[in-house]
Amino acid sequence: MLMSVPVQKDPAVTRYYFDIRDATGLYPDEEGLEFGTQREAEVEAAQALADLARDLAVADERREVSVEVRTDAKWVFQAALIFSGSRTTQ
């Protein structure tokens, strides 16, 4: 006879949600990722911004974009990519 064993969650692990915001709106993260520390979530947000920057560079777009990070309980922090300055023609 097979018995199911309940999965115990590590109480030190927090689920972080990485919502994307740009000029067109907010795109909420419905799944999130679990991390043991906020620092790990900060690194994930920075990596997400780097990926977004690469995508924007290919599209030759210079729009501001941010990753807004929250948990089930609260808003935690925001990481942003901001293009500022004059555009030169080449």
Side-chain angles (χ1 to χ4, degrees), residues 8-9 11 37 45 47 59 70 80 82:
Q8 294 183 350
K9 295 189 74 152
T37 67
Q47 290 173 339
R70 61 185 165 84
I82 301 169

Side-chain angles (χ1 to χ4, degrees), residues 10-50:
D10 182 349
V13 172
T14 302
R15 182 168 293 274
Y16 292 88
Y17 298 89
F18 299 83
D19 303 332
I20 306 298
R21 183 182 299 275
D22 66 12
T24 64
L26 178 69
Y27 303 91
D29 176 3
E30 300 294 334
E31 295 180 23
L33 297 170
E34 291 183 339
F35 294 104
T37 67
Q38 180 176 323
R39 179 69 180 136
E40 291 172 302
E42 291 168 357
V43 169
E44 179 66 25
Q47 290 173 339
L49 275 178

